[in-house]
Amino acid sequence: MASIGDGSERQRIAQQRLRVLAGHLRRLGAEERPGVAAQECRAGAGTTEPDDKPPCSVPKRRQDIMKWNGWGYADSKFFFNKKGQGEFTGKRYRLSGLILPSLKDWFEGTFGANLQHKSPAVPSLNTSAVAPPSLNEAFVEELKSTGIPFSHDTEDRVFRAHGHCLHEIFSLRDGRVGRCPDMVVWPNCHNDVVKIVELACKHSVCLIPYGGGTSVSSALECPPEETRSIVSLDTSQMNRILWIDEKNLTAHVEAGIIGQDLERLLNESGYCTGHEPDSMEFSSLGGWVATRASGMKKNIYGNIEDLVVHIKMVTPRGVIEKSCQGPRMSTGPDIHHFILGSEGTLGVVTEVTLKIRPIPEYQKYGSVVFPNFQQGVACLREVAKQRCAPASIRLMDNEQFQFGHALKPQVSSIFTSFLDGLKKFYITKFKGFDPHHLCVATLLFEGDREKVLQHEKLVYDIAAKFGGLAAGEDNGQRGYMLTFVIAYLRDLGMEYYVIGESFETSVPWDRVLDLCRNVKERIVRECKEKGVQFPPLSTCRVTQTYDAGACVYFYFAFNYRGLSDPVHVYEQVEHAAREEILANGGSLSHHHGVGKLRKEWMQETISSVGLGMLKSVKDYLDPNNIFGNRNLL
Amino acid sequence: KDPVLKKRDDFEDILEERRNSSDLRYAFKCYTPVLYRGLTPCKAATLKSMVLQSEQLLHVINQVSAESGESTDVVKDEAAAILEEMAHRLQLRTIRFFAYTLSKAFKALYRSVCVNEEGIQRLQQAMQEHPVVLLPSHRSYMDFLMMSYILYTYDLSLPVIAAGMDFLGMKFVGEMLRMSGAFFIRRSFGGDQLYWAVFSEYVKTMLRKGYAPIEFFLEGTRSRTCKSLTPKLGLLNIVMEPFFKGEVFDVNLVPVSMSYERVLEESLYARELLGVPKPKESTSGLLKARKILSEDYGSMHVYFSPPVSVRSLAQGRINRSQFNLTPRHVAQKPSEETQAFVNDVAYRIVRLQQENMVVKPWVLVATLLLQSVEGMELTELMEQTSWLRDLARMFGAFLDWPGTRPLNSKVVLGGPVIRRLPVHIPIRQVEGPQGPETPEEALFNRAVSVLSCASYRNQVLHVFLRPALLAMALSNANSSRKEDIYSCFDFLRNVFSDEFILSPGASVQDFDEACHLLVKCGAVELLHQDVVMAESGRTVLSFLTLLLEPFLQGYQVVCRYLREEATENLTEKQFIPAVRSFAVKLHLSGSLKCYEVLSSDLQKNALNALIRLNVVRRDGLMSNQVAIVSSIHGMLIHSAFSLEN
């Protein structure tokens, strides 16, 4: 997302063209690369880094560039400066270095928080507080002989002991660390993984695959009852594009590659996958497969299950893969669907063949303001019915709309602020939209320039039927930015007694409104009952549309001053919210997955027979529970 | 949980202000109720078209059309006609008219109309938050006029009220009621799918949109006996469904207890119970009835209980995801789980209504007088009333007792209570009717008096019911072992569960409650595994046993009739007159002293109980034949009843 919006539109397109050309010129070299890597692996010398290895955005030592107790890059964070204005540090994002004048008022107003009341985190990890690793000596000895790099450094272990659930980050900020993996291994290729899994089986070691570490389902938490040595299998070094097939428009990629690298490398060849989950800066291809990820632009490119053509996975029983790359097969239940969403319980995804697309010629943001949420949902439903959804279409409720506005950077000229005022006047006074009810849909169009413009007109015409008013590209773009910085914002909140989280569901169209209203209300009510002193932020957006329903995304946060066990309260409220979702016809998860956080509802969700089917697959593939993260089942 | 500790709100007399300021100004006052925050404002007419265009109704219309072969347009027209007949046309003008005329009428009829203002405040709060369903008790035609009047007075949203179709028979008045928010439903529409769909969709639409509070009577009809009636579940089911299906976040049920010192229909009811047909609702009848304006109906108490959230009640009992797999507009038969839940809620609401019913002194007086048919000395009556007052209070009754010095009971009792007694006609008659009459006439007149008197006693029955069942079980059980007494209690409770409000499945709770109360008043001692009568318990226990005696005797007479006289093809229609003449015969021959068996209410309840207990069987659904099955159960009943004598 950082790249989008840099410079003017014209410049951007020119750059893109250049990249396409450059990609074509370099292609020869790119095709040779995998051959080298494969040879290295076969020679059993996978430990040395290949010279032509592409620069990876995430190093083995994550601690060098990432926060140990929060989201994302260490150099990027929100803070309130001496004047009380919000600011975002670093150089990586569009917001970086900008001043956000309305953030403080929104923050204090929404949460009843106060900049005077701080809840700072412990400054650094106290490594002595972490239990020493319990190593399986025989395993370590044999692993050494393979030459695959590993570590039992405390920081390495702690980094791989958690995802980004609220309770995980909250503990880290408090300096508390639970059960950690006892060591970390970094395989360099598929064969390395095969060796590791063999050794783990031989020596009875528990393996937990680790990709980008962005889980929000407690999936990476080490089961505290695990007595075997736990080894975190970090796939981050398996990050090469092994080949690109332009005739079939597919690419074969190692599963440890993270989203932004995959996209960047493909762009160099003039292609993209179009798979953009909100976590794409850090999450990995293997992680997407293992959790059934969904991307923002799925309307054009599809979700991960639509993108995948071939998967290779290493299990304790052996390697599972299909023998061909046919686009569709009638060969019994699709074995890919045992792998997709298996959440690291069956094995490690090592290589994936993905569909790719040429980089779109033109991209355009847009937004529509609706007088209220109901109208907005009706419009999205109509767009879905006519199957004319743009690459992305999202409908934010009023609270989220105001949230987005709090992130408006300082305007550079009086003229812009005058224009803003005029727009506001037009919408609220002239059109009679109630500022406390209006909501906004953000749009992203992609494709040929001409088609985009046609498409845009079609969507705006539908919107007009539901009282929607076009509200400019800027509003749209800011809406998408929110989803990329939300996790950074949570870190800011946690500095001031505010904790929060997001969660999601999918639901049939006719229940969208009822579900949104009831879940938001349930959150407010539960907070009150659990003794939260201030009204919470309880907001949602319809974030994906499908033929038969929609994906709804909730943000929920509250000021925890006065609570003795805020995380427990938080968890109780989230639990109640999930019960409410299920009672209103929503699903257990649309794309976050189940992990350990939502396990308790699996039986009710897929029936006990369904659960038994999954268990029998697990029993066959991994009878000794080597992949013992205990997710899902 | 000790019922005495239950805190109740204070009352305000709303007529006081009416007596001191202009009724006209009151009728034209600025009326700005606080509205439901999720309200989508719409007119009564838009409401109708919303109902007619709803997916729910269209689905049923298509179904009906497919089944009957009629075109959908014809069925649609039919639905529109049903709705036209049903729908209210609430308008403020009419309310203002009623506000004026009812002010005049109420001032003439009642000394005071007391309302708990805290309840009103809670209601106002609830109305903003969630759709509200008002559930008043039903003793009189006055009930719903009074409800709307009170809500208007306190500037609350005016309710729409489910009323029986009978009112539409009254020219002009029916339409007036319609314009003050009443909507009319047929008394029975058993298999009429279309009617049900229109009706339920109409109610649900109003609820979902938060159009207005919905008011209906759980008891279904006016209780002729002043005893709460077994709740009807149809409408309650309908108003809960939008919550079950997630269409609203919650629904608030507000029980309202309306206690009359004397109901307008008092003497009518007694006659009706004895078989004199209920006068048909007509405008001319209403005009003739205006003579009641010159009589004194004492004071009236209206108690708004705290709102009951359907959501909290359903927590852990209803799995709402059961509705996930069918489109919500397709009506599903409620699951057993849901039916049981709705039934429990209904009983709970009726019990809440009962709990907050205000009991007046002469209710206790009537209770005592009924137990000594020969009458008693005034001083003795006063003493006993005072004793009974203390007992009732200990059992948690909500008493409205004049004077504030309960300890010095003689002083309190000597004054106001007795002086106000003549308000009530029956007392005198109980003491001795005169004049040349045929024995049948004399019996009839005497029965009218007793039944009127009983309608007062019935107002306090809920206070004593459970301990009384236990008292009866104590005297009938084979041993003093707790299990034996419980099984006897459970049996009696089962027999009388059509007669009184006894929630199915709450037998153990009721037993515990009864034990608790009897131990508290020192009538009974719990020893290890036994329940035994305490030395000092004789008075209390014999009072309690005598309280239920008329019902027991009544059921026995019904049983005797069925055994001795009933023929093979007795229809339900013939049953009541037949039992009545059987009882009259017993009376005239001097072998029966109990008058309450003449009440058609008791006779119906007894029949229902016998059918429920499989003692008597209905042959076929439509034939209305009653066949007697001499089952083991029947023997059981018979033996239990003969034990009593």
Side-chain angles (χ1 to χ4, degrees):
Chain A
M1 183 57 41
S3 67
I4 293 167
D6 284 343
S8 73
E9 194 60 33
R10 191 188 292 260
Q11 245 179 337
R12 206 181 60 78
I13 293 167
Q15 275 173 356
Q16 219 164 60
R17 291 255 162 78
L18 267 175
R19 278 206 303 268
V20 173
L21 285 174
H24 280 291
L25 287 173
R26 267 202 308 239
R27 203 176 59 219
L28 212 64
E31 272 173 354
E32 278 170 2
R33 223 187 287 139
V36 179
Q39 269 166 9
E40 278 173 347
C41 269
R42 268 194 296 277
T47 51
T48 50
E49 305 243 324
D51 300 336
D52 56 347
K53 195 174 168 73
C56 171
S57 307
V58 181
K60 275 204 272 194
R61 284 179 53 82
R62 298 176 79 86
Q63 50 271 44
D64 291 345
I65 60 161
M66 314 261 291
K67 292 194 194 77
W68 71 277
N69 63 354
W71 178 261
Y73 299 109
D75 58 14
S76 301
K77 64 171 201 171
F78 283 99
F79 75 105
F80 288 112
N81 62 23
K82 288 200 181 77
K83 282 193 253 169
Q85 293 166 313
E87 248 186 86
F88 194 52
T89 62
K91 293 196 182 68
R92 294 173 188 270
Y93 296 91
R94 199 163 154 254
L95 270 185
S96 298
L98 292 183
I99 289 194
L100 314 164
S102 19
L103 185 59
K104 173 175 175 267
D105 283 348
W106 176 84
F107 183 72
E108 293 189 331
T110 306
F111 296 107
N114 188 318
L115 297 196
Q116 311 306 319
H117 299 294
K118 292 202 71 176
S119 50
V122 298
S124 61
L125 175 62
N126 175 12
T127 48
S128 62
V130 181
S134 106
L135 296 174
N136 181 321
E137 294 301 338
F139 174 79
V140 176
E141 276 313 304
E142 278 206 57
L143 188 65
K144 262 185 199 158
S145 70
T146 64
I148 299 168
F150 66 90
S151 152
H152 37 78
D153 169 69
T154 309
E155 279 195 353
D156 285 337
R157 290 167 52 220
V158 169
F159 257 81
R160 283 153 190 89
H162 67 86
H164 284 272
C165 286
L166 174 81
H167 66 269
E168 295 170 314
I169 299 301
F170 196 90
S171 305
L172 287 175
R173 288 175 57 92
D174 253 7
R176 283 179 284 126
V177 181
R179 174 88 153 95
C180 284
D182 298 299
M183 61 187 279
V184 183
V185 288
W186 287 274
N188 272 307
C189 62
H190 170 78
N191 286 349
D192 283 356
V193 176
V194 172
K195 282 176 211 157
I196 295 168
V197 173
E198 270 171 13
L199 289 181
C201 292
K202 183 173 168 193
H203 298 290
S204 186
V205 160
C206 172
L207 288 178
I208 298 185
Y210 181 93
T214 56
S215 151
V216 281
S217 59
S218 298
L220 289 168
E221 264 178 22
C222 297
E225 67 270 31
E226 180 60 66
T227 52
R228 298 170 294 185
S229 178
I230 300 180
V231 175
S232 176
L233 192 154
D234 184 329
T235 59
S236 65
Q237 304 311 302
M238 301 169 33
N239 56 7
R240 285 157 298 189
I241 295 177
L242 298 179
W243 46 255
I244 291 172
D245 177 348
E246 288 183 90
K247 293 206 180 63
N248 294 309
L249 285 180
T250 52
H252 192 63
V253 189
E254 288 184 313
I257 195 164
I258 58 169
Q260 55 168 322
D261 289 349
L262 176 62
E263 226 44 30
R264 197 185 64 242
L265 293 172
L266 284 174
N267 284 359
E268 282 172 11
S269 316
Y271 295 105
C272 66
T273 62
H275 185 68
E276 294 184 12
D278 291 352
S279 61
M280 71 174 288
E281 288 175 282
F282 306 106
S283 57
S284 70
L285 172 56
W288 300 338
V289 171
T291 55
R292 295 181 64 91
S294 169
M296 175 179 107
K297 300 193 288 196
K298 71 95 194 153
N299 292 337
I300 294 184
Y301 301 97
N303 287 318
I304 193 71
E305 67 273 21
D306 310 310
L307 286 166
V308 158
V309 177
H310 185 269
I311 304 173
K312 204 190 263 188
M313 177 165 80
V314 181
T315 76
R317 189 59 79 167
V319 175
I320 176 173
E321 62 178 321
K322 292 184 186 173
S323 68
C324 69
Q325 304 198 34
R328 181 181 187 274
M329 291 155 77
S330 174
T331 49
D334 191 340
I335 54 163
H336 282 173
H337 285 286
F338 289 109
I339 300 169
L340 286 155
S342 59
E343 303 194 359
T345 57
L346 303 177
V348 190
V349 177
T350 53
E351 288 170 18
V352 178
T353 309
L354 280 170
K355 297 180 196 168
I356 55 171
R357 300 289 304 165
I359 294 174
E361 176 196 327
Y362 188 63
Q363 205 178 38
K364 192 172 182 192
Y365 286 99
S367 66
V368 182
V369 180
F370 292 98
N372 55 45
F373 195 62
Q374 288 89 307
Q375 302 268 71
V377 171
C379 172
L380 261 64
R381 205 280 160 267
E382 184 61 29
V383 166
K385 195 185 265 173
Q386 297 194 18
R387 293 201 170 164
C388 63
S392 168
I393 178 166
R394 289 174 168 179
L395 179 75
M396 302 192 282
D397 69 0
N398 184 263
E399 291 86 350
Q400 212 164 115
F401 168 70
Q402 296 185 16
F403 189 3
H405 261 255
L407 295 175
K408 235 177 173 169
Q410 204 161 28
V411 285
S412 39
S413 72
I414 301 170
F415 182 65
T416 341
S417 89
F418 172 73
L419 264 185
D420 280 350
L422 210 61
K423 263 189 257 167
K424 194 173 168 190
F425 177 81
Y426 176 72
I427 287 174
T428 59
K429 296 291 178 316
F430 191 72
K431 280 289 177 178
F433 284 18
D434 181 345
H436 296 289
H437 285 121
L438 63 81
C439 69
V440 62
T442 60
L443 310 165
L444 172 61
F445 298 91
E446 234 179 60
D448 299 346
R449 191 185 160 83
E450 216 161 290
K451 278 189 190 151
V452 162
L453 295 177
Q454 265 177 3
H455 194 177
E456 194 184 15
K457 182 170 183 315
L458 176 62
V459 172
Y460 283 118
D461 284 350
I462 295 175
K465 280 190 205 135
F466 295 90
L469 295 173
E473 291 187 57
D474 192 46
N475 271 320
Q477 206 169 348
R478 207 172 26 250
Y480 289 101
M481 186 184 64
L482 183 66
T483 65
F484 279 84
V485 299
I486 186 78
Y488 286 108
L489 274 168
R490 181 173 76 176
D491 289 341
L492 176 73
M494 286 169 92
E495 294 276 319
Y496 298 94
Y497 287 96
V498 173
I499 51 176
E501 181 93 278
S502 58
F503 50 91
E504 40 72 33
T505 187
S506 55
V507 59
W509 276 115
D510 71 312
R511 295 169 191 259
V512 169
L513 277 178
D514 289 329
L515 180 131
C516 291
R517 183 199 51 237
N518 289 351
V519 172
K520 281 174 11 178
E521 171 122 23
R522 180 76 183 264
I523 289 172
V524 173
R525 200 193 249 218
E526 291 286 333
C527 279
K528 204 168 164 187
E529 274 170 24
K530 301 287 180 297
V532 177
Q533 311 280 310
F534 308 87
L537 172 70
S538 171
T539 157
C540 72
R541 64 167 184 264
V542 178
T543 201
Q544 284 293 8
T545 62
Y546 291 88
D547 286 347
C551 167
V552 182
Y553 208 93
F554 293 91
Y555 289 142
F556 151 48
F558 63 85
N559 181 340
Y560 68 84
R561 281 184 62 211
L563 296 181
S564 59
D565 191 350
V567 171
H568 182 63
V569 170
Y570 166 79
E571 283 170 346
Q572 284 180 312
V573 178
E574 192 192 331
H575 190 274
R578 182 58 61 182
E579 297 259 302
E580 192 62 33
I581 286 174
L582 297 176
N584 283 274
S587 65
L588 188 53
S589 171
H590 170 262
H591 60 274
H592 281 178
V594 175
K596 291 181 268 291
L597 194 61
R598 286 176 275 274
K599 237 164 99 161
E600 64 180 288
W601 290 289
M602 268 303 270
Q603 179 162 336
E604 140 185 11
T605 301
I606 62 168
S607 82
S608 47
V609 176
L611 200 65
M613 283 168 73
L614 295 187
K615 277 192 173 137
S616 67
V617 170
K618 165 83 178 169
D619 287 345
Y620 173 74
L621 284 180
D622 185 15
N624 297 317
N625 197 27
I626 296 301
F627 288 90
N629 59 18
R630 304 196 190 213
N631 290 338
L632 208 57
L633 302 175
Chain B
K1 191 178 78 181
D2 200 325
V4 184
L5 299 175
K6 218 165 283 154
K7 203 168 148 19
R8 288 176 176 113
D9 307 334
D10 295 332
F11 284 106
E12 291 285 328
D13 177 13
I14 58 166
L15 285 190
E16 199 173 294
E17 204 192 319
R18 294 277 45 76
R19 295 192 205 277
N20 299 324
S21 65
S22 155
D23 287 336
L24 205 58
R25 195 175 305 145
Y26 163 76
F28 284 100
K29 74 171 185 163
C30 171
Y31 168 74
T32 46
V34 183
L35 299 171
Y36 169 51
R37 68 195 160 111
L39 176 74
T40 8
C42 68
K43 294 218 167 62
T46 356
L47 196 67
K48 278 192 231 171
S49 64
M50 271 159 76
V51 173
L52 290 174
Q53 279 153 23
S54 69
E55 272 182 311
Q56 284 79 347
L57 188 55
L58 290 180
H59 178 76
V60 174
I61 287 174
N62 286 334
Q63 251 180 346
V64 169
S65 138
E67 278 165 24
S68 64
E70 300 255 28
S71 80
T72 48
D73 286 340
V74 173
V75 185
K76 258 184 209 168
D77 289 346
E78 221 176 294
I82 294 173
L83 188 59
E84 199 54 40
E85 178 194 67
M86 182 185 305
H88 71 83
R89 280 200 304 275
L90 179 62
Q91 39 177 247
L92 198 54
R93 299 205 280 283
T94 325
I95 296 296
R96 292 194 192 281
F97 167 79
F98 270 116
Y100 180 75
T101 47
L102 286 179
S103 291
K104 299 286 181 212
F106 288 158
K107 280 188 283 187
L109 289 170
Y110 299 115
R111 297 180 188 196
S112 62
V113 172
C114 299
V115 177
N116 64 327
E117 288 199 352
E118 280 165 74
I120 293 284
Q121 278 159 18
R122 289 188 298 249
L123 178 61
Q124 189 182 31
Q125 191 70 32
M127 278 176 168
Q128 277 171 278
E129 292 288 312
H130 303 294
V132 161
V133 178
L134 295 164
L135 299 167
S137 58
H138 204 12
R139 302 287 174 269
S140 167
Y141 280 142
M142 231 14 139
D143 291 329
F144 62 85
L145 295 176
M146 186 54 91
M147 280 292 289
S148 297
Y149 184 82
I150 292 171
L151 296 183
Y152 173 80
T153 306
Y154 285 104
D155 238 12
L156 293 176
S157 297
L158 291 162
V160 290
I161 309 136
M165 201 66 110
D166 350 354
F167 286 106
L168 273 188
M170 303 165 83
K171 280 192 201 78
F172 181 66
V173 174
E175 289 310 308
M176 282 296 279
L177 292 177
R178 196 195 281 282
M179 286 187 282
S180 62
F183 62 96
F184 298 98
I185 40 180
R186 296 180 192 158
R187 281 262 172 239
S188 63
F189 42 90
D192 192 339
Q193 207 189 351
L194 187 65
Y195 192 88
W196 175 261
V198 173
F199 163 54
S200 70
E201 194 48 33
Y202 183 58
V203 175
K204 281 188 271 187
T205 306
M206 289 193 287
L207 187 102
R208 284 193 288 254
K209 300 285 161 193
Y211 179 84
I214 290 164
E215 176 181 321
F216 65 90
F217 300 104
L218 263 181
E219 296 166 277
T221 180
R222 291 171 299 154
S223 163
R224 267 66 167 174
T225 56
C226 285
K227 196 160 52 102
S228 299
L229 304 178
T230 309
K232 306 282 179 293
L233 305 182
L235 251 167
L236 191 60
N237 239 318
I238 290 175
V239 296
M240 289 210 234
E241 202 188 281
F243 164 72
F244 294 152
K245 291 191 170 174
E247 292 163 334
V248 293
F249 183 77
D250 199 354
V251 174
N252 275 321
L253 307 178
V254 181
V256 184
S257 316
M258 312 194 80
S259 357
Y260 293 87
E261 192 160 351
R262 179 182 167 206
V263 290
L264 294 180
E265 298 94 328
E266 186 177 67
S267 54
L268 284 181
Y269 283 161
R271 277 159 223 276
E272 217 180 289
L273 290 172
L274 290 169
V276 179
K278 159 187 166 190
K280 215 168 153 40
E281 283 81 358
S282 72
T283 309
S284 60
L286 184 75
L287 291 174
K288 275 181 214 143
R290 72 184 182 277
K291 73 168 195 311
I292 59 170
L293 286 175
S294 58
E295 286 193 38
D296 182 357
Y297 288 87
S299 61
M300 175 178 179
H301 288 83
V302 182
Y303 195 97
F304 290 84
S305 298
V308 179
S309 142
V310 174
R311 174 175 277 265
S312 356
L313 292 178
Q315 181 71 36
R317 290 210 48 189
I318 296 288
N319 178 9
R320 284 182 287 152
S321 55
Q322 66 183 293
F323 300 102
N324 286 356
L325 297 180
T326 23
R328 290 181 293 178
H329 67 263
V330 180
Q332 280 171 274
K333 200 178 178 304
S335 64
E336 261 174 47
E337 170 198 43
T338 313
Q339 282 175 351
F341 171 72
V342 174
N343 194 45
D344 282 359
V345 173
Y347 274 91
R348 178 192 281 255
I349 298 288
V350 175
R351 279 205 73 186
L352 283 170
Q353 287 174 356
Q354 288 182 329
E355 255 172 35
N356 292 322
M357 285 284 199
V358 171
V359 175
K360 301 280 175 15
W362 25 95
V363 167
L364 301 187
V365 173
T367 309
L368 290 166
L369 284 174
L370 277 176
Q371 294 197 1
S372 54
V373 193
E374 306 312 319
M376 55 170 92
E377 290 295 318
L378 191 61
T379 45
E380 192 195 346
L381 181 63
M382 274 160 58
E383 257 167 49
Q384 290 219 19
T385 308
S386 151
W387 168 81
L388 187 54
R389 176 202 59 192
D390 293 343
L391 187 68
R393 201 169 262 160
M394 199 182 292
F395 284 4
F398 191 7
L399 292 171
D400 176 43
W401 211 264
T404 48
R405 285 168 296 166
L407 284 177
N408 200 348
S409 54
K410 286 240 166 73
V411 182
V412 178
L413 251 184
V417 177
I418 301 302
R419 231 183 297 123
R420 282 169 66 176
L421 259 178
V423 171
H424 305 277
I425 326 127
I427 306 295
R428 205 181 335 120
Q429 291 172 333
V430 170
E431 280 157 2
Q434 304 117 6
E437 298 165 308
T438 64
E440 284 86 358
E441 273 170 7
L443 177 64
F444 181 84
N445 285 336
R446 178 110 179 127
V448 168
S449 313
V450 172
L451 289 186
S452 306
C453 208
S455 78
Y456 286 86
R457 176 210 56 203
N458 286 347
Q459 296 173 33
V460 78
L461 271 182
H462 65 273
V463 174
F464 297 115
L465 175 61
R466 285 158 188 81
L469 287 172
L470 180 58
M472 210 178 244
L474 275 170
S475 60
N476 280 323
N478 299 327
S479 75
S480 63
R481 285 171 55 83
K482 204 170 176 181
E483 301 91 272
D484 288 335
I485 290 170
Y486 172 75
S487 73
C488 193
F489 175 88
D490 186 43
F491 171 75
L492 287 167
R493 194 182 168 283
N494 204 2
V495 169
F496 285 128
S497 64
D498 289 271
E499 195 69 46
F500 309 115
I501 299 301
L502 292 163
S503 172
S507 193
V508 177
Q509 282 128 278
D510 283 351
F511 183 71
D512 290 344
E513 189 184 320
C515 286
H516 170 79
L517 292 175
L518 284 187
V519 169
K520 197 169 85 169
C521 71
V524 145
E525 283 168 14
L526 290 182
L527 302 169
H528 219 54
Q529 290 299 321
D530 295 275
V531 183
V532 290
M533 185 166 88
E535 268 314 297
S536 53
R538 196 167 299 277
T539 339
V540 174
L541 291 181
S542 79
F543 163 77
L544 290 174
T545 323
L546 278 175
L547 191 64
L548 295 189
E549 183 64 24
F551 297 97
L552 199 59
Q553 281 195 24
Y555 278 47
Q556 278 171 326
V557 170
V558 172
C559 286
R560 270 185 69 187
Y561 164 74
L562 287 170
R563 280 171 14 117
E564 292 166 18
E565 300 223 332
T567 50
E568 267 302 301
N569 41 14
L570 173 75
T571 67
E572 268 188 271
K573 224 183 205 148
Q574 297 161 348
F575 170 77
I576 286 176
V579 177
R580 189 184 301 128
S581 49
F582 179 72
V584 168
K585 210 169 64 192
L586 290 181
H587 254 288
L588 294 178
S589 73
S591 62
L592 181 65
K593 289 273 178 287
C594 169
Y595 291 89
E596 289 186 50
V597 66
L598 295 168
S599 155
S600 59
D601 182 66
L602 183 142
Q603 294 155 359
K604 273 183 231 161
N605 291 337
L607 181 62
N608 285 337
L610 294 173
I611 291 171
R612 185 168 42 79
L613 295 169
N614 282 328
V615 179
V616 164
R617 171 161 47 81
R618 264 197 187 91
D619 267 355
L621 272 179
M622 304 309 292
S623 73
N624 279 349
Q625 289 205 333
V626 177
I628 302 155
V629 181
S630 57
S631 65
I632 301 169
H633 220 103
M635 305 291 287
L636 191 65
I637 289 201
H638 186 71
S639 58
F641 281 165
S642 43
L643 251 178
E644 184 58 26
N645 286 350

